[in-house]
Amino acid sequence: MMKGLKKWRLFSLLAVMTVFLSACGEDYITTLKPTGAVGKEQFNLLLFSIAIMALVTIVVSVLYLYAFMKARRSKLGEDYMPKQVEGSHTLEVIWTVIPIVLLLILAVPTLISTYKLADVRAMDEVDEEGNKTALTVNVTAKLYWWEFEYPEQGIVTAQELVVPTGEKVYFNLKAADVKHSFWIPAVGGKMDTNVENVNKFYLQFDEESEGLEQGVFYGKCAELCGPSHALMDFKVKVLDRDGFDNWVAAMQATEGQTASADSADVGEQTFANSCLMCHAVSGVGTTGAMGPNLTTFGDRNRVAGVLEHTKENLEQWIDDPETIKPGNLMTGKYGELSDEEISAVADYIMGLSIEE
């Protein structure tokens, strides 16, 4: 008897903890504290759906308890037979109509939000000079990293999306290899990236990321895509409009920047000979590179999207990326480097920065 009570107490405690801890989470990644207009609308729709489901659960539970208490044998006797209601047209209509009404109540706001959030016509609007008025980012998902192109600004970056606050940012989403899914949990819902077509949607970022613990929002791949799916992260840096414009200008100023094989710096020389064929070090250029653009590597939050941003972790990644992200396409693509060369390359890459 006591063992049974202990089990029920433990079960009850776990249930209560689940309810309360489900609301816990860091601001940079939780879906329960949305920081953008899209995320807030989706969250409100979620709460509305939960409220309706809770109402149904409460009503059914009350009716069950009422019937249970009213028809007790101790009260009505062993031979009592309740009124038989099978075939009642009234009851059949009631329990058919009520679910339909509840579904309609759910369907109307859901459909309104769906069509509203799918409206990307503003992406193609232009001003009097023919320039697009909305910020558009072309996102390409690759095994296991992300490329971000700003076509109107003529710049490309990777692994760290930079956007302004207080305006809609439109995304063209595609995949270069297999299906992935683009998701920034704290800002809005996910959208698949496919190889055969481009998906479009928008998000709005209402808060700067500087005040967050990590200084960035976290983005994830939300579609199982291979052995390192869980490690296919990216970061989102949200700036005010002036800060974003300054970042764009700094990126554009790197046009023509490259690494020289004739450099006296061992790191730059090694990078030019072993890495430059896959990794660009200029923010102005074409998309479709084999590896992530490294122009802003020194300003990033993480190494390879998941490791702390330190030289030691970068050396580990260069030396053996397979141990960190199994199945990545970098493994075996360059010759074996000595410890000295790895250290020098790490110094060079950590020094790639556009921030003052």
Side-chain angles (χ1 to χ4, degrees), residues 6-59:
K6 288 181 178 179
K7 288 181 179 180
W8 278 108
R9 287 176 181 173
L10 178 61
F11 177 79
S12 301
L13 178 61
L14 291 174
V16 171
M17 289 178 64
T18 300
V19 171
F20 283 98
L21 293 179
S22 64
C24 296
E26 299 293 346
D27 290 347
Y28 56 81
I29 197 170
T30 180
T31 60
L32 301 181
K33 299 176 183 177
T35 59
V38 174
K40 290 175 182 176
E41 183 164 343
Q42 293 170 336
F43 183 65
N44 289 337
L45 187 60
L46 173 66
L47 293 180
F48 180 64
S49 302
I50 291 175
I52 290 179
M53 289 185 284
L55 176 63
V56 171
T57 301
I58 291 171
V59 170

Side-chain angles (χ1 to χ4, degrees), residues 102-112:
L102 292 176
L103 287 174
L104 288 174
I105 293 173
L106 275 172
V108 171
T110 300
L111 287 172
I112 291 174

